[in-house]
Every structure is written in structure tokens, then in C-alpha cells.
Amino acid sequence: MSDEDDLADSEPDQDDSEKEEDEKETEEGEDYRKEGEEFPEEWLPNPLTEDMMKEGLSLLCKTGNGLAHAYVKLEVKERDLTDIYLLRSYIHLRYVDISENHLTDLSPLNYLTHLLWLKADGNRLRSAQLNELPYLQIASFAYNQITDTEGISHPRLETLNLKGDQRRWPSDLIRLPGRATTSMTEDRGCLFLPQSWKFITT
């Protein structure tokens, strides 16, 4: 047997080595896809549409001036929404449920000056900041990523739900515009509000 034959026998088969590397890359790719399969569409833009509005609107009532009628209740929860810009045009809404979506911005709600009740639980909100809504009485932002009450300045607000947003609230005092100074307990994560208020964080 020649030296060349011995060398050929001792060298690994190049095609087999490449094949093993390809198989390894394929397995890693499959593992990556499996990890991403849990929420495959959560980052895809999914704005609120007119069709969704038609399905979610209810409760026909007189408008504020009493001269017309409009639907005042909207429920569009669990729609994987990332954008509610369309709500700017529905100024007569009073009850809005936009919970269990992927929202990061609530600014279109600033146009709903007749809003009484808002539920925005289970989104991706880092702030509950809105313009002053003169009639808002109940607001729920539970299970978001909100860490303070900045921008919550609604004169008729009675119930504010921030359950699950922050495990432990700061112990320093905060001030809610139009209301008395309120304090937070360091252990329970609750705000002490004026007697007419109900604040939920646990």
C-alpha cells in the first residue's frame, strides 16, 4: 500500500463532514423556529379596522347634545391589535375595552372626551399617560409594564387598577393633579387615595 493510499484512508470524508455540518445547522434552525412559534405574530403591525369597529360597537345612545345618536360602547379585546389610531374618529365612545392586545400607545383615546370607562389590561403599555378626560371614572391598566401614575389627571376618576404592573411600587409620595397627595406602601404596593377613590394594585 502506498503512502498516498494511507493518507487517503486517514483523512475524514469531506462530503460526510459537510453533510454533518449542514444537518447541525438545520437542527439549530428548527430549534430556533420552535422557540419562536409560541407568539409568531405578536410583532406584526395589526391596526384597528372599520370591520373590527362594526363588530365591536354596541349600545346606541343619544350624543351629548341630544340631537343625534351614536354607538357608545366598543369591545375589541384579544384582537392582537398594535394600533388604535382609528378611534380618533369615534369621539362619542363612553365605554372602551381594548384589553389583551399588543398596544404601546393610547394617545388616540385623547379624542374620546366623553369616555367614562376604560379597560386596557394585558397590553404592552409602559405609561398610562393621557390628556385630562373630564368624565373618566373607571380606568384599568392591569398587567402592563406601568411603573408610575404620571399623566393620570382625570378629575372624576374613582377607580384606578394597576394590578400586576409593578411588583413593588416606590415608597415616596406622588401627586395626582387635581387630587390630594397620595402615598404608596413599600410592602403591599398600594396607594392610599382619598376616600372616594379605589386604587387596585394587588
Side-chain angles (χ1 to χ4, degrees), residues 6 25-26 32 51 66 75 91 94-95 105 109 119 121 131 138-139 165 173:
D6 292 337
E25 291 176 358
T26 301
Y32 178 81
D51 288 339
E75 182 179 301
I91 60 174
R94 302 174 193 172
Y95 309 93
D105 177 28
L109 297 177
K119 186 175 182 180
D121 299 354
N131 293 347
I138 298 174
D165 285 330
L173 296 180

Side-chain angles (χ1 to χ4, degrees), residues 69-181:
H69 288 79
Y71 288 107
V72 299
K73 183 178 180 180
L74 175 67
E75 182 179 301
V76 284
K77 62 182 181 180
E78 299 179 346
R79 295 298 191 98
D80 294 327
L81 294 175
T82 59
D83 181 2
I84 53 171
Y85 182 84
L86 188 60
L87 288 186
R88 294 161 58 106
S89 303
Y90 290 80
I91 60 174
H92 298 294
L93 286 173
R94 302 174 193 172
Y95 309 93
V96 173
D97 186 350
I98 49 175
S99 56
E100 305 301 330
N101 287 293
H102 305 305
L103 300 174
T104 58
D105 177 28
L106 297 182
S107 59
L109 297 177
N110 290 327
Y111 292 80
L112 309 186
T113 55
H114 297 281
L115 194 63
L116 300 172
W117 182 94
L118 171 63
K119 186 175 182 180
D121 299 354
N123 280 282
R124 300 181 178 278
L125 302 173
R126 294 185 178 276
S127 170
Q129 185 167 2
L130 289 168
N131 293 347
E132 184 177 296
L133 297 173
Y135 303 110
L136 185 63
Q137 298 175 22
I138 298 174
S140 182
F141 304 101
Y143 300 107
N144 282 280
Q145 302 170 33
I146 297 169
T147 57
D148 58 53
T149 56
E150 182 179 357
I152 302 177
S153 57
H154 315 295
R156 288 182 170 82
L157 189 64
E158 295 179 358
T159 301
L160 176 63
N161 185 355
L162 295 176
K163 181 179 179 181
D165 285 330
Q166 175 147 302
R167 186 72 175 175
R168 183 168 174 167
W169 287 84
S171 59
D172 56 331
L173 296 180
I174 66 167
R175 183 176 299 277
L176 297 177
R179 294 289 182 174
T181 300

